[in-house]
Amino acid sequence: ELRSLTHALYGCAPEVEYRGNPDCVLDYIPRHVKYMVRELLKNAFRSTVERHLSRSTTTDALPHVAVELQQGDIHVIFKISDQGGGMPKRVQREAWQYGWTTVDSSKSYSEAFQYAEESCSWDRGTKEATANQSGQMRTELAGYGFGLPLTRLHAQYFGGDVFMQALPGHGTDLILILTHLKAGTPSTEIDDLSTLLYKKEGRRGFAT
C-alpha cells in the first residue's frame, strides 16, 4: 500500500526488509497497530526517497527500509530504520509538536483542518490512492505534522511509547514499544509496566 503510494508520487519506492523475530505475538487493537506502523513507515519512505533521489538520477539503488520485530516479556518492539539522512537535534525536538512539518504546503486552512481530522482516523490511508472530490489523486506521504505526535499518543495511552534515534548524515531509527493488552492487565497511560516487572524481579533476587 505505502510502496504503491510512494511510487506514484516519486516514481520509485524503497523495499522493506524484515528482521528479528517475525513470529512475535501481540495482543493489541489491530487498527491502532496499523495506524502507528503506517505513520512511522511513511516518514521512513519519504526521507529515504528524497535524500537519495537528490543525490542520484537513478531510481534502482534505494536502500531498504528495515523493520525489526522483537518480543519482550510485556512488550513487542518495532524498530523502523531508514537511511534518509537523519535530522539535527532541533528538528528531533520539533518533530513531536502537533502541526509541525517539513513539508511546504500551499493548501488552505480548511484543507489543512480536513487533513488533521483524517490523520486521527485509524482507517486513513486505505484509500489514499483513490480520487478525491476535486478528481485528483491523493498522494500525501507527509502533510500537517500530526503523524508522529498522534502515534506517540496512541502508544502511550496503553503503556507503550515511541522513541527516536537520529544519526545525522545517515538515517533515523524509530522504536515503537507496544504493551500486550490482556484482560485484567493494568495497561493505562499512568502505568509503567516495565518498572513493575523490574521491581518484581528485584524482589525475587533479594529473596534468593
Side-chain angles (χ1 to χ4, degrees):
E1 175 187 319
L2 284 181
R3 291 196 71 248
S4 300
L5 179 63
T6 306
H7 200 280
L9 182 59
Y10 293 101
C12 61
E15 297 284 347
V16 177
E17 177 185 349
Y18 294 97
R19 304 174 179 172
N21 180 7
D23 298 322
C24 285
V25 176
L26 174 64
D27 299 298
Y28 212 83
I29 305 169
R31 284 186 175 183
H32 287 206
V33 178
K34 180 180 179 181
Y35 172 82
M36 290 183 281
V37 172
R38 185 180 67 232
E39 291 300 321
L40 299 184
L41 281 173
K42 283 166 65 175
N43 284 281
F45 275 40
R46 175 181 170 237
S47 60
T48 299
V49 173
E50 291 187 352
R51 173 177 171 81
H52 291 274
L53 283 186
S54 66
R55 294 184 157 200
S56 173
T57 57
T58 63
T59 61
D60 57 352
L62 292 177
H64 293 182
V65 170
V67 178
E68 181 177 346
L69 300 174
Q70 297 294 344
Q71 184 154 3
D73 293 330
I74 56 177
H75 298 113
V76 167
I77 300 97
F78 298 78
K79 181 180 179 182
I80 299 175
S81 305
D82 65 65
Q83 297 182 39
M87 61 188 74
K89 291 183 178 180
R90 176 187 61 82
V91 176
Q92 294 179 47
R93 293 190 296 267
E94 293 176 339
W96 300 106
Q97 298 177 13
Y98 287 93
W100 186 89
T101 179
T102 59
V103 178
D104 294 328
S105 175
S106 59
K107 292 182 173 63
S108 65
Y109 176 81
S110 61
E111 288 175 304
F113 182 77
Q114 180 181 3
Y115 188 93
E117 283 192 317
E118 292 173 351
S119 294
C120 299
S121 171
W122 300 319
D123 290 325
R124 183 180 177 275
T126 57
K127 297 182 180 179
E128 283 183 338
T130 60
N132 61 16
Q133 293 179 351
S134 63
Q136 299 174 342
M137 298 297 289
R138 178 180 293 277
T139 55
E140 291 92 342
L141 276 183
Y144 294 92
F146 295 94
L148 280 180
L150 279 177
T151 297
R152 186 165 67 173
L153 180 66
H154 278 70
Q156 290 178 340
Y157 188 80
F158 289 117
D161 212 337
V162 181
F163 301 97
M164 177 189 298
Q165 182 178 13
L167 303 173
H170 176 69
T172 303
D173 294 338
L174 283 165
I175 301 170
L176 173 63
I177 301 176
L178 298 180
T179 307
H180 292 287
L181 301 183
K182 295 183 178 180
T185 58
S187 300
T188 71
E189 57 186 329
I190 61 173
D191 291 305
D192 182 356
L193 296 185
S194 59
T195 300
L196 298 177
L197 176 66
Y198 295 145
K199 287 181 178 179
K200 184 183 298 183
E201 291 183 346
R203 286 197 296 268
R204 288 186 196 145
F206 286 124
T208 57

